[in-house]
Amino acid sequence: MKQFRPLAFSGLLGLAAAVPFAKRDLVTVVVTQEVVETIDITTTVWVPAGGAAATPTSVFVNNAYSNSFPAASSTSSSQSLPPAAAISKARSSKPPVHSPVPQPPSSSSSSTSSTASPSAPVYTPPAYTSPTTSQVQTPATPASPATTSCLPYPNPATTAGVLPGAYSPASCNSGSQACSGEITYYDVGMGACGIVSAANESVIALSYLMMGTGSNSNPLCGKTVTIHNANTGVSAQATVVDKCMGCCDPESIDLSDSLFEALNGGSLTAGRVSSGVTWYFND
């Protein structure tokens, strides 16, 4: 018996090898796994005092809007739909037109007409108090303009020996009767005497206080004078050709550039010489 079993088993293997096997077709097996997802949909509905249901509001489901119609007797409800149905309904529905959600009526609306609205507070200005002496600011008194010694032109008075409209007689003579006043310089040209002069000429303008109102026919026009500057020791001759309206001293004179330089060491730097200068008419 111990030798028969191996022989029988080997015989069966030989018989199996001799019998041909039929090939089977390839079979595809599809395994479907179903996933169930529960989505909660909540809708809030405002119910008026009469109890009738309000217009349903829009619900947002899985990135899409869906309309929900709650029961009329419920003020708020929560319902669960199958996931496939909820998603299909949400995708197929069009986005709603956003209309104002009806607000619940105010409990005090019925009494609005009978209750008076509060009035705005009335502004009452503070009582006026008169300022004290320390609070009153006294405006500063503007400084009066500096007075000058220039007299109005012309002089309305008539004085013997004085030219019409003048204040001072032309009595500047040599010796003790010489005049002493300031000397300045100016740009010469057509003068009050009707004479055209140049800067290199030795000409002067007398004060309007001495010449008066006369111009071309003024008796002082064309007269010659001698001027001496004690500060430099220089004397010079000059001719009257103009009237100095800025000479507020009757004895002050205005000189051409070259004449002023000749009396002041060849320079115009001084500009005005207020002392040490005398002058007089030659005839």
Side-chain angles (χ1 to χ4, degrees), residues 29-35:
V29 179
V30 180
V31 179
T32 302
Q33 183 179 2
E34 182 179 356
V35 178

Side-chain angles (χ1 to χ4, degrees), residues 42-48 52-59 68-77 101-102:
T42 303
T43 303
T44 301
V45 179
W46 295 103
V47 179
T55 304
T57 59
S58 299
V59 181
S68 176
F69 298 88
S73 60
S74 175
T75 57
S76 64
S77 64
V101 178

Side-chain angles (χ1 to χ4, degrees), residues 18 28 39 56 58 82 103 106 119 142 144 147 149 155 160 183 239:
T28 302
I39 301 176
S58 299
Q103 300 296 328
S106 175
S119 58
S144 58
T147 58
S149 59
N155 181 13
I183 60 172
T239 303

